[in-house]
């Protein structure tokens, strides 16, 4: 499989390119949304670097403390990282976890909102559609890395996985569910839902509702797709990602219900 393209002497890998493209597209959409809501779009550019840095740190820490089976089979366990701390900085080894990005991103927005005096929930609404957009594009890069595939399948759209990228015990199985594609398409659906809600019900939505809808939908997507995933992260015998998104779904759904059933205008 073609790994990427050359920029002078450097190889730009497709996965990295699509990740950067997703982030750039998300930032542009967030800037547009910010201007549309009457704020200076430079807010997004001030947020960009801290969100990138802390989001990456959070994602890496989540991977280190909840490594998936593919990493465990390679010996990249939590114990390994704790006894080889320099390898935690080798971002090309192992991987990242989106739950860590979500946690770190929320903390960054809380700090930024206090410094900028822009309400936290207002910031989350500005970013919600952009997050779905960036994830929809970025997930496509998993195809080129032969990762984020699911259970074996004989469906016509099954994804061929090279033997070197197959999990132990599945060496003779050739085709798998393309989970990355499922998630990418559902992220784009989430994007259109958020944009539609923001336009259609702008007079009924409370500040922060769009972000809670984003969390609600994305949590449902990730929880559901985990049933098809082979490369799960187990902690104490539990699928930790599925547990995280269950809690997030309950919190987001409960927050929306409470806001519109009991809370005064926020």
């Amino acid at each position: 499989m073609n790994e990427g393209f050359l920029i002078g002497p450097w190889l730009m890998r497709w996965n990295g390119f699509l990740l950067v493209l997703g982030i750039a597209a998300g930032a542009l959409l967030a800037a547009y949304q910010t201007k549309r809501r009457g704020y200076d779009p430079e807010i997004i550019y001030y947020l960009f670097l801290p969100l990138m840095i802390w989001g990456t740190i959070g994602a890496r820490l989540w991977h280190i403390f909840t490594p998936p089976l593919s990493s465990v089979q390679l010996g990249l366990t939590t114990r390994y990282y704790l006894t080889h701390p320099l390898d935690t900085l080798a971002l090309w080894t192992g991987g990242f976890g989106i739950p860590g990005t979500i946690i770190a991103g929320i903390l960054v927005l809380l700090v930024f909102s206090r410094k900028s005096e822009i309400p936290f929930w207002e910031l989350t609404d500005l970013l919600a559609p952009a997050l779905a957009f960036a994830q929809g594009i970025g997930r496509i890069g998993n195809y080129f890395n032969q990762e984020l595939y699911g259970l074996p399948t004989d469906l016509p759209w099954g994804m061929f996985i090279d033997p070197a990228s197959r999990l132990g015990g599945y060496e003779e199985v050739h085709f798998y569910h393309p989970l990355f594609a499922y998630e990418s398409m559902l992220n784009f659906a989430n994007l259109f839902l958020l944009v539609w809600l923001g336009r259609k019900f702008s007079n009924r939505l409370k500040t922060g509702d769009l972000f809670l809808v984003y969390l609600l939908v994305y949590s449902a997507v990730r929880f559901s797709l985990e049933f098809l995933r082979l490369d799960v992260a187990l902690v104490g015998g539990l699928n930790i990602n599925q547990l995280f998104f269950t809690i997030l779904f309950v919190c987001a759904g409960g927050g929306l219900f409470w806001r519109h059933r009991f809370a005064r205008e926020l």
Side-chain angles (χ1 to χ4, degrees):
M1 180 177 291
N2 183 6
E3 293 185 354
F5 55 92
L6 292 174
I7 302 178
W10 294 283
L11 175 66
M12 170 60 78
R13 297 184 182 276
W14 287 113
N15 187 49
F17 171 73
L18 286 163
L19 184 61
V20 171
L21 180 63
I23 292 171
L28 290 173
L29 177 58
Y32 170 76
Q33 291 285 98
T34 302
K35 185 176 182 180
R36 186 170 172 271
R37 286 179 173 243
Y39 290 100
D40 187 343
E42 286 196 5
I43 292 169
I44 301 303
Y45 306 125
Y46 292 139
L47 267 172
F48 183 81
L49 189 58
L51 281 175
M52 281 287 295
I53 293 173
W54 289 104
T56 301
I57 292 172
R60 185 62 172 170
L61 288 175
W62 186 269
H63 166 79
I64 288 169
F65 289 103
T66 64
L69 290 178
S70 60
S71 292
V72 173
Q73 289 181 356
L74 294 173
L76 300 174
T77 62
T78 301
R79 181 184 294 275
Y80 172 84
Y81 282 116
L82 293 178
T83 54
H84 298 77
L86 289 180
D87 283 351
T88 64
L89 304 177
L91 303 183
W92 53 90
T93 302
F96 302 89
I98 285 181
T101 303
I102 293 173
I103 294 170
I106 288 174
L107 293 176
V108 167
L109 292 181
L110 284 169
V111 172
F112 187 85
S113 68
R114 296 191 66 177
K115 291 184 176 181
S116 66
E117 298 184 353
I118 299 174
F120 168 78
W121 289 113
E122 187 71 35
L123 286 173
T124 62
D125 275 355
L126 296 176
L127 292 172
L131 291 172
F133 193 24
Q135 288 173 304
I137 296 174
R139 271 303 182 206
I140 300 171
N142 294 129
Y143 168 77
F144 298 95
N145 275 17
Q146 295 270 287
E147 59 189 8
L148 199 61
Y149 57 87
L151 296 171
T153 182
D154 56 2
L155 291 170
W157 56 83
M159 176 184 180
F160 176 80
I161 299 296
D162 294 329
S165 300
R166 297 172 193 167
L167 284 174
Y170 292 86
E171 292 84 358
E172 302 303 318
V173 181
H174 301 289
F175 293 94
Y176 300 80
H177 281 282
L179 287 192
F180 73 92
Y182 299 164
E183 185 176 333
S184 178
M185 290 186 290
L186 291 169
N187 276 320
F188 284 126
N190 196 9
L191 164 65
F192 293 129
L193 173 65
L194 294 170
V195 172
W196 178 75
L197 287 174
R199 300 283 180 89
K200 184 74 174 179
F201 300 101
S202 58
N203 59 329
R204 295 174 58 184
L205 293 174
K206 298 179 186 293
T207 306
D209 278 356
L210 284 182
F211 182 64
L212 290 176
V213 170
Y214 161 79
L215 292 179
L216 189 73
V217 174
Y218 185 64
S219 297
V221 168
R222 283 298 305 270
F223 176 86
S224 302
L225 292 181
E226 286 292 321
F227 287 111
L228 290 176
R229 190 167 184 169
L230 273 178
D231 194 17
V232 297
L234 299 176
V235 175
L238 295 174
N239 184 326
I240 191 63
N241 288 324
Q242 201 166 45
L243 177 61
F244 173 84
F245 285 110
T246 299
I247 295 171
L248 194 61
F249 179 88
V250 171
C251 291
L256 281 169
F257 178 78
W258 180 80
R259 283 166 151 245
H260 289 271
R261 181 66 178 85
F262 300 110
R264 296 179 179 178
E265 188 70 29
L266 295 176

